[in-house]
Amino acid sequence: MHLARFPRLSLGQFPTPLEALPNLSRFLGGPTLYIKRDDNTGLASGGNKTRKLEFLLADAVRQGADVVITQGATQSNHVRQTIAGAAKIGLKTQILLERRVEKFGEDYQRSGNVLLDNLLGGTVVDHLPAGTDMQQAMETLADTLRAQGHKPYVIPGGGSNPIGALGYVACAEELLYQSSQQRLRIDRIVHATGSTGTQAGLLAGLEATNSGIPVLGISVRAPRAKQEENVYALAARTWQLLGARGEFPRDRVVVNSDYVGEGYGLPTSGTLEALRLLAQLEGILLDPVYTGKGMAGLIDLIRKGLFKKDEHVVFIHTGGSAGLFGYRQLLEQQG
Ligand SMILES: *Cc1c(COP(=O)(O)O)cnc(C)c1O
């Protein structure tokens, strides 16, 4: 895989740690659990978008952009990391936020990632209603900026296009290298999947190295068939961008959508349990939107006996703990 031929910036600290979760593993009675700490990428409180942005913002620089446009839900981790990454290379950001979640009051609207977005110098141009065609809204904003003589670079929601997914091709390589360094056999990888770049990149990277490790995406939003279709489409395009031979195998794409609950950004009781277990058994902060749901899925599937006791399962911590502060009321109510 010739990742070196793609332009890339250094925005984070890699490799991120690959650590054991001894207390959680004991609490659940096996399999043996590990965690890949992509919450520790080092860019303004970290997260999975940092890996994607190393490639995306390098592409923006190559194209001579002077402003970056992106979009996300109000408490988007992607938006926060994009603003931070752009700040680091001296680019302004113009942000569109989608009011996808209305339930959690003032903290949700103003604290957590929103507070950090402002501190990092991002300009929130507009708040749009849930269900808006956000890609179209960004294109319209880009046209306006172009008419004013700017050179905007548009990053899709979650940074999920083939260039962004290269970040998780790189993560797959990193994980395989670490597993051989640490003499650790990885039987399975589990993580939360949303805009699909993480899973698509991982799958493409693992397939290119013929590792055979299965990846399970726990959906935070879309139903299974839809999410699998979306992950597959991006994995296939990323596969092409890599110049890999043949078709990307459809049967590598596996998503479980049983843990979405009432919808995106709405934590379930399982989410809250997962947040507490990781905090209190391992001193690790998950997040209420993605990793809390992903971990809730992993815990429930372990309890249902899906994994063998002697398996080694790696959960990828994709970040997002800054979002906890947007959910103060809910977390206080639930003790
Ligand atoms: C964006 C995000 C995800 C989902 O990754 P995708 O590449 O969008 O599927 C998972 N966890 C956190 C914390 C995120 O911010």
Side-chain angles (χ1 to χ4, degrees), residues 176-190:
L176 292 172
Y177 182 72
Q178 277 176 318
S179 78
S180 93
Q181 289 287 300
Q182 298 182 20
R183 308 267 190 279
L184 166 67
R185 186 191 78 237
I186 300 175
D187 296 310
R188 198 186 296 266
I189 295 170
V190 178

Side-chain angles (χ1 to χ4, degrees), residues 84-290:
K88 196 165 168 172
I89 58 168
L91 290 182
K92 298 276 181 220
T93 37
Q94 300 234 339
I95 302 298
L96 297 175
L97 293 179
E98 181 186 358
R99 296 188 184 280
R100 248 188 258 167
V101 178
E102 289 290 8
K103 258 176 112 168
F104 301 109
E106 198 173 357
D107 290 296
Y108 185 87
Q109 301 302 331
R110 297 178 55 182
S111 187
N113 282 300
V114 177
L115 186 83
L116 300 183
D117 293 347
N118 292 326
L119 182 61
L120 292 163
T123 303
V124 176
V125 180
D126 210 352
H127 291 84
L128 299 163
T132 301
D133 183 340
M134 296 299 285
Q135 186 63 33
Q136 185 54 53
M138 288 198 294
E139 297 300 344
T140 305
L141 176 58
D143 286 341
T144 307
L145 289 170
R146 263 182 228 112
Q148 295 168 2
H150 288 288
K151 283 194 129 190
Y153 185 84
V154 176
I155 297 181
S160 285
N161 61 16
I163 293 176
L166 293 176
Y168 272 82
V169 174
C171 180
E173 287 185 342
E174 187 179 300
L175 202 47
L176 292 172
Y177 182 72
Q178 277 176 318
S179 78
S180 93
Q181 289 287 300
Q182 298 182 20
R183 308 267 190 279
L184 166 67
R185 186 191 78 237
I186 300 175
D187 296 310
R188 198 186 296 266
I189 295 170
V190 178
H191 69 91
T193 176
S195 70
T196 76
T198 301
Q199 191 168 7
L202 277 174
L203 287 171
L206 292 169
E207 189 63 21
T209 51
N210 233 325
S211 77
I213 301 172
V215 178
L216 173 62
I218 308 282
S219 176
V220 300
R221 198 174 176 188
R224 175 178 177 152
K226 182 76 190 149
Q227 187 70 9
E228 285 192 349
E229 184 188 313
N230 292 345
V231 172
Y232 173 65
L234 185 54
R237 288 171 67 206
T238 307
W239 189 245
Q240 274 189 345
L241 181 64
L242 287 170
R245 290 218 200 129
E247 297 278 300
F248 184 82
R250 170 65 182 82
D251 62 2
R252 304 290 294 162
V253 180
V254 181
V255 170
N256 180 317
S257 295
D258 296 344
Y259 302 94
V260 176
E262 284 178 58
Y264 176 87
L266 305 173
T268 64
S269 58
T271 314
L272 296 170
E273 186 202 16
L275 289 179
R276 247 171 244 122
L277 281 176
L278 269 286
Q280 295 172 20
L281 292 175
E282 301 285 357
I284 289 176
L285 300 174
L286 296 178
D287 85 284
V289 180
Y290 295 94

